[in-house]
Amino acid sequence: SSIYRGPKYTWSPSSRGGADRKGLDMHLLLATGSADKYCYVYDITPEGGNVLQKLDGHTDRVYTAQFHPTQAVLATGSADFTIKIWRPARPIAGS
């Protein structure tokens, strides 16, 4: 599990580019792996507290999820012997 403080985004597998980081409205996000092959991203701000997104990209258990310490980048590692890099796809409206 890992915590990210910054703009609230939806996440997608890594590609060139990424979301614009204008308006740094800070949120706390928690990413955690699961036995069901997904990584879950939770909004853990006081007004949040729910699943923000279920990341689908692995074919087996997700053992680890780690945010980059200074950038909006998430890495996940799985029992399927892959590591996925996730970058923001777009800011979430109202955040």
Side-chain angles (χ1 to χ4, degrees):
S1 297
S2 183
I3 294 178
Y4 166 78
R5 182 176 178 85
K8 189 167 34 170
Y9 291 112
T10 58
W11 299 85
S12 65
S14 181
S15 62
R16 295 203 178 243
D20 186 2
R21 294 197 59 183
K22 291 180 183 173
L24 295 178
D25 183 20
M26 296 299 168
H27 291 271
L28 281 176
L29 303 180
L30 170 72
T32 187
S34 180
D36 66 359
K37 78 180 179 88
Y38 300 107
C39 174
Y40 292 90
V41 179
Y42 295 88
D43 178 357
I44 59 171
T45 55
E47 58 278 349
N50 54 351
V51 175
L52 183 63
Q53 192 174 4
K54 180 171 82 170
L55 303 179
D56 184 7
H58 290 288
T59 59
D60 204 346
R61 294 175 302 275
V62 177
Y63 286 131
T64 188
Q66 187 68 43
F67 284 109
H68 187 279
T70 61
Q71 298 178 25
V73 176
L74 173 66
T76 56
S78 172
D80 65 8
F81 300 102
T82 64
I83 296 171
K84 302 279 185 187
I85 305 297
W86 306 83
R87 292 190 182 274
R90 61 183 164 75
I92 293 177
S95 64

